Amino acid sequence: MRRRQNIIAVCVFLVAALLVFLISPKNRQWLQAGFVTIISPFLKKGSEWDANYKKYMGQSKKLGELETENTTLTTEVAKLKAENQALRGVESENLRLQKALGYQTQSPFNLISARVIAHNETNWWKSILVDKGDLEGVRTGLCVLTADGLVGKVIQARPHDSTILLITDENCKVAARVGDSRQPERQGIVRIEMRGFTRGDRVASLAQPRMLMTMIGKFVPIAQGQEIYTSGVDQVYPAGVLIGRVVDSKALELEKQAVIDPAVNLADLLDVFIVGGMKGVQAQK
Amino acid sequence: MFILLLAVVMFFSLIIQLLNVVPGFGGQVLLLPVAFFYAAAALPLWAMLVMAFFAGLMCDCLTALPIDMDGKMFSDTFFGWNILLYGAVGSVMNGLHPLFLRGRWPIHCIVTGLLTSLLVLIEFVRVTLHREPFAFAWSPAVLNRIIGSGLSALVVAPFLFIVLNWIGRRLGHFDRPRVVEPATS
């Protein structure tokens, strides 16, 4: 009798699993969004408690008022640095375009400040959840950065929260360039690479995985510590955002490859900025 | 009642896991698998399968992420995979259900550690086969992640098992008073 019950239970389980397999992409996204919406308040509250706890632990060393002021100023500085990061690449191009077309950009990027509420780094995927979503202007595909450099991109935006795919996820690829130069041979693609001489970087041996930049011109000189920036060619990440620094490089038959240490400590992210586009662009006659 | 409670425990285990507030050895502490393995040991097969479905669905909702701009192309885990995975590893633990009822739950704590490592290992093999077949990149970091997850689970499991056993007894889930103390001999 019990055996029969068990067989029925297993059959029902398999049928249920099969039904889940057959869910359409639209319904699947709806299901995912629904689930994240359910867990989001708990995560927000949890991260708030965590932040308060850390703040409380820090208060034993500092006076309350100074701490608050310091936090505000630090956030402001971080925001300005992040803005500067995003602007670095477009600055010179803007000047050129202003001259050529008579356009005048009024102000830089519109940065949406967001708090990291969950690190979903379970096993082999690298994404985070942040507490800003559709209603705050976050859209799928927007670039995410901090004062130190590039973090990733928005892959799912829900009303009150979003999922960010980190640059250290194997599914994330970034068009990049070596240094400030715009020469084609200095451009390439940055990603997590398993094979070749960076094998084993699917997970971090230390704090975070290193990335590989490929398709660089074979004769381009690359020095250790040289900075790697986004090139903007992929039209996802604005040009000029710092990705990381070169740790090692190697010339292959047709190209050069560089191992990169990410500029941002992705394992310890608390606040990020989502680049929500330009604040306003005006045509001036 | 106890089944419902275990489902709630699993849900909040996932929340704590996502908040990343518990330090682990070489990786994140996977609290959800620990809670699930307790359920797999303490419940009959049909209830374990319900729990596997619940745990797997939660994981799928978080890990099957779109990687293109339109949200149509998904990352290398397909929706429903975790349900089958949890069902399979849960069945192994459920095979030790009679032993659990005899109060030998410390054995289940060890098995929890082993199965958690197995869970991470299976994920690694599957992801690797999907992304670059026949190019396994074993490294100390990968092994550290696999073994570290198991060790973390091994440390956390006894605490969770003691608390849940106590609650289970209070709720009258264990009809015979055998899940009380670990066997001394």
Side-chain angles (χ1 to χ4, degrees):
Chain A
M1 184 64 183
R2 181 173 284 264
R3 188 185 167 90
R4 197 173 159 185
Q5 277 179 348
N6 286 345
I7 291 169
I8 293 169
V10 171
C11 289
V12 170
F13 174 76
L14 291 175
V15 169
L18 185 71
L19 288 175
V20 172
F21 279 128
L22 299 174
I23 289 177
S24 67
K26 193 182 169 187
N27 288 334
R28 186 168 53 190
Q29 283 194 48
W30 177 82
L31 192 68
Q32 284 180 306
F35 178 69
V36 177
T37 306
I38 291 169
I39 63 169
S40 182
F42 297 103
L43 292 171
K44 280 179 185 169
K45 197 43 109 179
S47 68
E48 201 179 301
W49 286 345
D50 192 35
N52 284 341
Y53 172 74
K54 282 173 182 162
K55 199 175 168 186
Y56 172 76
M57 294 304 281
Q59 268 177 352
S60 59
K61 295 174 190 168
K62 301 163 194 167
L63 292 169
E65 277 182 41
L66 283 174
E67 172 75 15
T68 313
E69 194 181 340
N70 190 35
T71 309
T72 315
L73 288 171
T74 308
T75 311
E76 190 63 29
V77 168
K79 190 172 180 178
L80 289 169
K81 276 186 178 176
E83 207 162 305
N84 194 32
Q85 280 281 354
L87 270 174
R88 191 194 300 270
V90 290
E91 191 184 3
S92 57
E93 197 175 350
N94 272 353
L95 288 170
R96 193 164 47 83
L97 289 172
Q98 277 175 30
K99 277 184 184 174
L101 301 171
Y103 276 78
Q104 187 182 16
T105 55
Q106 263 200 336
S107 71
F109 291 101
N110 181 20
L111 293 179
I112 303 160
S113 168
R115 167 163 286 182
V116 178
I117 55 171
H119 292 258
N120 186 21
E121 296 193 31
T122 5
N123 309 342
W124 317 108
W125 295 277
K126 305 219 171 288
S127 63
I128 53 172
L129 293 181
V130 296
D131 67 347
K132 296 285 163 61
D134 264 347
L135 296 178
E136 287 87 12
V138 179
R139 298 283 178 271
T140 303
L142 291 183
C143 169
V144 182
L145 45 82
T146 68
D148 297 323
L150 189 66
V151 171
K153 66 177 177 184
V154 179
I155 50 168
Q156 267 184 341
R158 292 170 291 275
H160 296 289
D161 48 69
S162 311
T163 305
I164 314 291
L165 188 70
L166 299 179
I167 48 167
T168 49
D169 189 287
E170 280 181 83
N171 290 312
C172 199
K173 294 176 181 65
V174 186
R177 65 168 192 247
V178 180
D180 285 330
S181 172
R182 290 179 181 275
Q183 293 168 319
E185 65 268 23
R186 283 180 166 266
Q187 301 201 359
I189 295 171
V190 171
R191 61 196 163 126
I192 288 286
E193 171 69 48
M194 285 299 297
R195 284 167 289 193
F197 66 112
T198 57
R199 53 185 291 127
D201 275 351
R202 174 160 289 156
V203 289
S205 53
L206 298 167
Q208 57 187 331
R210 285 173 173 174
M211 298 176 292
L212 185 72
M213 183 171 175
T214 56
M215 297 164 71
I216 311 166
K218 191 182 174 182
F219 302 106
V220 172
I222 300 174
Q224 202 172 343
Q226 194 157 13
E227 290 175 332
I228 304 293
Y229 296 98
T230 52
S231 67
V233 174
D234 50 22
Q235 298 188 342
V236 175
Y237 306 98
V241 180
L242 182 65
I243 300 172
R245 290 172 185 84
V246 174
V247 177
D248 192 14
S249 63
K250 186 180 181 181
L252 301 177
E253 201 170 330
L254 297 170
E255 56 165 356
K256 200 170 230 182
Q257 295 186 340
V259 183
I260 299 158
D261 201 13
V264 181
N265 181 8
L266 298 165
D268 198 26
L269 279 175
L270 292 174
D271 294 291
V272 294
F273 297 101
I274 299 163
V275 182
M278 302 294 278
K279 276 181 185 167
V281 179
Q282 274 192 346
Q284 197 180 49
K285 288 182 183 175
Chain B
M1 182 66 180
F2 190 53
I3 296 171
L4 200 66
L5 180 97
L6 288 179
V8 173
V9 168
M10 276 165 50
F11 177 79
F12 282 103
S13 298
L14 180 67
I15 300 284
I16 297 168
Q17 182 180 307
L18 289 171
L19 285 169
N20 212 8
V21 288
V22 187
F25 306 101
Q28 213 175 15
V29 178
L30 303 177
L31 287 176
L32 175 65
V34 177
F36 168 70
F37 287 130
Y38 176 86
L43 300 175
L45 183 72
W46 69 267
M48 183 281 289
L49 291 173
V50 171
M51 291 297 168
F53 187 85
F54 179 56
L57 195 62
M58 286 198 294
C59 287
D60 281 330
C61 282
L62 288 170
T63 53
L65 300 168
I67 52 171
D68 66 335
M69 292 297 101
D70 307 326
K72 286 174 185 166
M73 198 166 85
F74 276 72
S75 63
D76 34 27
T77 182
F78 51 89
F79 213 71
W81 155 261
N82 281 298
I83 295 174
L84 288 181
L85 183 61
Y86 273 87
V89 290
S91 301
V92 177
M93 184 60 104
N94 195 250
L96 301 172
H97 177 60
L99 208 60
F100 187 85
L101 291 179
R102 286 206 292 273
R104 309 279 175 128
W105 61 265
I107 296 169
H108 296 77
C109 291
I110 296 166
V111 178
T112 295
L114 293 172
L115 288 179
T116 304
S117 281
L118 180 70
L119 207 67
V120 181
L121 173 67
I122 292 171
E123 289 284 10
F124 176 75
V125 171
R126 200 188 62 74
V127 169
T128 301
L129 286 174
H130 183 267
R131 291 180 186 174
E132 56 254 304
F134 313 115
F136 281 94
W138 294 104
S139 72
V142 171
L143 293 175
N144 193 27
R145 175 64 62 95
I146 292 166
I147 297 167
S149 301
L151 282 176
S152 305
L154 195 63
V155 171
V156 173
F159 298 102
L160 195 69
F161 278 39
I162 287 170
V163 172
L164 291 175
N165 274 341
W166 181 80
I167 295 170
R169 284 199 309 277
R170 290 270 164 180
L171 292 174
H173 172 73
F174 303 107
D175 50 353
R176 285 165 288 183
R178 285 170 299 199
V179 191
V180 181
E181 296 297 329
T184 51
S185 58

